[in-house]
């Protein structure tokens, strides 16, 4: 099956990209030309799911799509403007004008990047004025930037990568050239998108298991098992699970009293599936006053996916809001709520802490989870009370974890917090950052 890549570009850039695309016989390219940048929105809304990946001609249309939430970072890319692209167009400008330009106005490239290019080729005598690309800046501001430099005699020629800026400057009779991605840059991004598309295809074919466990109350557990009311409620749960299985092309299996699995693939799950699962949790709680735990596991095999579901159940705590715990194939865990989510890992930590973790009496998952919560709540400093709340444990356990992390140098004491009550103040900690 051929990879299908959609190409979004103005007409002139599209021709260059499609010229390079002819070399890739195993990839199907679908061109989507546009005149005005706003047309990108209509293109992606109508054709977003018709291709595997999106090739954007430059930073402007790519950033426009990202800022308007038309795609995600995993769905597209654009070719960077390397030094070869700039020097190629500068050489063209000099040959056309039969003169050497020493004062240049450019945009969409940072001063730091440009300094590296000039120092590498020993061209420090070239004077340049750059306006780095900013998504919140209009093209009119770039036109004013270049026009002012030219009118003041500080720039002899303008090099831009944005079509609208190029056209407006031409109307003002300002010598302007439009830089486009080089042949190698275009080829590199096509290869990157092809690899990503194949990776996504493999990823979407992974096994996915949705686990749904109804938490029975210990006091009336036996009564619930054998009452007809419970059996009717169970049938209602099965009906809702069958609806979810139908939408995800999966199958439902009951693994025991109150425990159900839906077997499907990763590619069949969607945001709509998450909404259905949250609705399931709410309805069961309203009808029976029972809590429902939902864990989703991914894996290369059915066994691995099922093990990850059970791992998710072990990590589920008594969250105040309905929560889906998603365990990926690398055992990274995402706790999803309807308007929020927390990500952490159970098997890995940062490279800088691996040596320290050899002597600590804690699992890497605990450290990763604390890091994830601290980042999520933007807490550079935290106390044992914070850990108790994040980990759903006692404050005594929080103090033990922090003491152990402090012993090996993962955290350090940064101060004390007065609680306003009698007793010792709480110690405040922060990550060492080593």
């Amino acid at each position: 099956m051929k990879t299908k890549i959609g190409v979004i570009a103005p007409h002139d850039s599209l021709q260059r990209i499609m010229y390079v695309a002819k070399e890739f016989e195993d990839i199907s390219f679908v061109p989507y030309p546009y005149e005005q940048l706003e047309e990108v929105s209509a293109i992606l809304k109508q054709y977003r799911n018709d291709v595997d990946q999106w090739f954007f001609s430059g930073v402007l249309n790519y950033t426009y799509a990202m800022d308007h939430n038309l795609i995600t970072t995993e769905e597209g890319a654009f070719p960077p403007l390397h030094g070869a692209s700039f020097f190629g167009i500068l050489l063209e400008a000099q040959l056309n004008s039969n003169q050497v330009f020493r004062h240049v106005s450019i945009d969409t490239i940072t001063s730091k990047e440009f300094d590296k290019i000039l120092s590498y080729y020993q061209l420090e005598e070239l004077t340049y004025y750059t306006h780095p690309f900013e998504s919140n800046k209009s093209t009119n501001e770039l036109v004013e930037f270049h026009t002012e430099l030219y009118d003041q005699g500080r720039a002899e020629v303008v090099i831009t990568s944005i079509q609208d800026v190029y056209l407006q400057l031409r109307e003002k009779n300002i010598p302007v050239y439009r830089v486009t991605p080089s042949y190698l840059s275009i080829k590199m991004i096509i290869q990157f998108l092809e690899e990503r598309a194949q990776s996504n295809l493999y990823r979407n074919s992974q096994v996915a298991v949705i686990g749904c466990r109804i938490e029975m109350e210990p006091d009336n557990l036996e009564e619930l098992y054998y009452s007809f009311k419970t059996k009717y409620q169970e049938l209602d749960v099965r009906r809702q699970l069958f609806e979810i299985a139908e939408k995800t092309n999966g199958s439902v299996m009951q693994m025991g009293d109150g425990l159900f699995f839906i077997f499907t693939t990763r590619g069949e799950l969607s945001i709509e599936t998450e909404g259905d699962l949250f609705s399931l949790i709410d309805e069961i709680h309203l009808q029976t006053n029972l809590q429902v735990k939902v864990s989703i596991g991914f894996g290369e095999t059915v066994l691995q996916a099922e093990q990850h579901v059970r791992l998710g159940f072990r990590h589920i705590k008594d969250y105040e809001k309905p929560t889906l715990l998603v365990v990926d194939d690398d055992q990274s865990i995402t706790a999803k709520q309807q308007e929020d989510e927390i990500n952490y890992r159970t098997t890995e930590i940062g490279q800088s802490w691996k040596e320290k973790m050899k002597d600590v009496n804690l699992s890497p998952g605990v450290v990763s989870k604390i890091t994830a919560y601290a980042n999520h709540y933007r807490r550079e400093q935290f106390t044992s009370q914070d850990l108790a709340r994040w980990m759903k444990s006692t404050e005594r356990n929080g103090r033990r974890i922090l003491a152990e992390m402090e012993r090996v140098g993962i955290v350090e004491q940064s101060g004390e917090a007065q609680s306003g009550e009698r007793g010792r103040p709480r110690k405040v900690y922060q990550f060492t950052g080593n």
Side-chain angles (χ1 to χ4, degrees):
M1 183 178 177
K2 281 188 174 183
T3 298
K4 186 181 289 187
I5 295 178
V7 183
I8 295 182
H11 289 278
D12 58 342
S13 297
L14 185 63
Q15 292 177 358
R16 290 186 174 90
I17 296 168
M18 296 306 291
Y19 176 80
V20 181
K22 292 178 182 178
E23 297 185 16
F24 296 86
E25 297 179 355
D26 296 331
I27 303 176
S28 175
F29 293 89
V30 184
Y32 294 95
Y34 67 88
E35 295 290 343
Q36 300 296 325
L37 184 61
E38 292 73 19
E39 296 175 37
V40 173
S41 179
I43 292 171
L44 290 173
K45 286 179 180 178
Q46 184 173 355
Y47 303 107
R48 178 178 181 177
N49 298 318
D50 290 356
V51 300
D52 299 307
Q53 289 287 306
W54 288 99
F55 187 113
F56 292 85
S57 59
V59 64
L60 182 64
N61 49 20
Y62 174 80
T63 305
Y64 178 88
M66 293 297 300
D67 288 347
H68 289 78
N69 297 317
L70 300 172
I71 63 164
T72 64
T73 54
E74 296 299 316
E75 294 179 77
F78 66 94
L81 295 174
H82 296 304
S85 303
F86 169 78
F87 287 115
I89 201 67
L90 181 60
L91 178 60
E92 179 184 331
Q94 294 180 149
L95 290 174
N96 288 344
S97 303
N98 196 26
Q99 71 176 95
V100 176
F101 293 116
R102 298 183 180 275
H103 303 276
V104 185
S105 176
I106 60 177
D107 57 42
T108 65
I109 186 170
T110 64
S111 300
K112 185 177 181 180
E113 292 173 345
F114 208 73
D115 285 338
K116 288 181 180 178
I117 295 171
L118 297 184
S119 61
Y120 184 81
Y121 291 103
Q122 298 180 351
L123 295 172
E124 291 85 352
E125 292 185 7
L126 178 66
T127 302
Y128 71 92
Y129 304 93
T130 180
H131 193 299
F133 176 79
E134 298 176 29
S135 60
N136 59 343
K137 297 289 185 181
S138 67
T139 55
N140 290 333
E141 291 182 65
L142 289 177
V143 172
E144 292 175 5
F145 169 78
H146 292 303
T147 302
E148 183 178 348
L149 288 171
Y150 182 77
D151 290 342
Q152 294 174 355
R154 297 162 63 193
E156 300 171 291
V157 66
V158 175
I159 295 179
T160 181
S161 66
I162 300 174
Q163 184 186 42
D164 192 32
V165 175
Y166 171 75
L167 294 175
Q168 290 190 50
L169 291 176
R170 280 192 62 183
E171 290 180 0
K172 295 185 175 185
N173 294 319
I174 294 176
V176 57
Y177 289 83
R178 185 162 175 232
V179 61
T180 56
S182 66
Y183 166 85
L184 290 176
S185 182
I186 295 173
K187 188 174 181 178
M188 178 188 69
I189 292 300
I190 292 176
Q191 292 171 336
F192 168 73
L193 293 176
E194 159 72 355
E195 292 172 2
R196 181 194 276 176
Q198 292 298 322
S199 176
N200 289 343
L201 180 63
Y202 164 76
R203 187 175 175 82
N204 287 337
S205 64
Q206 281 188 327
V207 178
V209 179
I210 303 172
C212 176
R213 187 176 70 192
I214 303 174
E215 299 290 323
M216 303 293 187
E217 294 292 339
D219 295 339
N220 57 352
L221 192 59
E222 185 173 344
E223 178 184 345
L224 283 171
Y225 278 160
Y226 298 105
S227 71
F228 281 103
K229 180 180 179 181
T230 301
K231 298 301 179 184
Y232 286 131
Q233 291 172 344
E234 197 172 82
L235 286 174
D236 288 336
V237 173
R238 288 176 63 89
R239 177 184 57 79
Q240 295 179 66
L241 290 174
F242 276 127
E243 291 178 359
I244 295 174
E246 182 179 13
K247 293 180 180 179
T248 58
N249 293 313
S251 60
V252 180
M253 290 188 64
Q254 184 167 1
M255 312 303 291
D257 289 314
L259 178 61
F260 301 88
F261 280 177
I262 296 177
F263 294 88
T264 181
T265 59
R266 181 192 287 268
E268 296 293 338
L269 302 186
S270 63
I271 298 297
E272 183 181 355
T273 307
E274 294 180 6
D276 292 338
L277 291 170
F278 281 122
S279 297
L280 175 69
I281 295 172
D282 290 336
E283 287 186 31
I284 293 176
H285 182 67
L286 288 173
Q287 293 175 9
T288 66
N289 203 33
L290 296 176
Q291 298 293 328
V292 178
K293 307 297 184 186
V294 176
S295 173
I296 302 175
F298 298 114
E300 297 177 0
T301 64
V302 175
L303 176 61
Q304 186 185 40
E306 185 176 339
Q307 288 174 338
H308 289 165
V309 169
R310 298 185 185 279
L311 174 63
F313 282 139
R314 291 198 295 272
H315 280 263
I316 286 182
K317 302 294 182 180
D318 295 324
Y319 290 95
E320 297 178 1
K321 300 178 181 179
T323 303
L324 308 180
L325 215 68
V326 181
V327 184
D328 219 322
D329 54 348
D330 61 354
Q331 291 194 1
S332 61
I333 295 178
T334 302
K336 293 190 175 185
Q337 296 179 343
Q338 288 174 305
E339 64 285 331
D340 206 357
E341 67 178 53
I342 294 289
N343 299 282
Y344 59 95
R345 304 179 73 87
T346 61
T347 57
E348 294 185 15
I349 57 173
Q351 184 67 33
S352 60
W353 287 347
K354 284 188 176 180
E355 291 298 321
K356 298 176 181 179
M357 286 298 296
K358 290 180 179 179
D359 300 323
V360 70
N361 189 27
L362 295 171
S363 72
V366 171
V367 177
S368 179
K369 194 171 185 179
I370 294 170
T371 306
Y373 273 105
N375 291 334
H376 179 75
Y377 291 112
R378 301 182 184 276
R379 297 290 298 276
E380 295 183 1
Q381 299 177 326
F382 41 86
T383 66
S384 58
Q385 190 177 44
D386 295 320
L387 257 67
R389 184 173 66 256
W390 296 343
M391 308 295 289
K392 310 297 181 184
S393 65
T394 63
E395 189 171 350
R396 180 181 179 182
N397 188 49
R399 288 196 296 270
R400 180 189 68 81
I401 293 173
L402 285 172
E404 191 69 13
M405 291 171 67
E406 184 183 24
R407 182 178 67 83
V408 297
I410 295 176
V411 299
E412 61 186 1
Q413 186 176 346
S414 60
E416 293 183 341
Q418 299 292 335
S419 62
E421 300 175 356
R422 295 179 63 182
R424 295 180 179 178
R426 292 191 181 92
K427 294 181 180 181
V428 178
Y429 294 87
Q430 65 184 18
F431 289 108
T432 58
N434 297 330

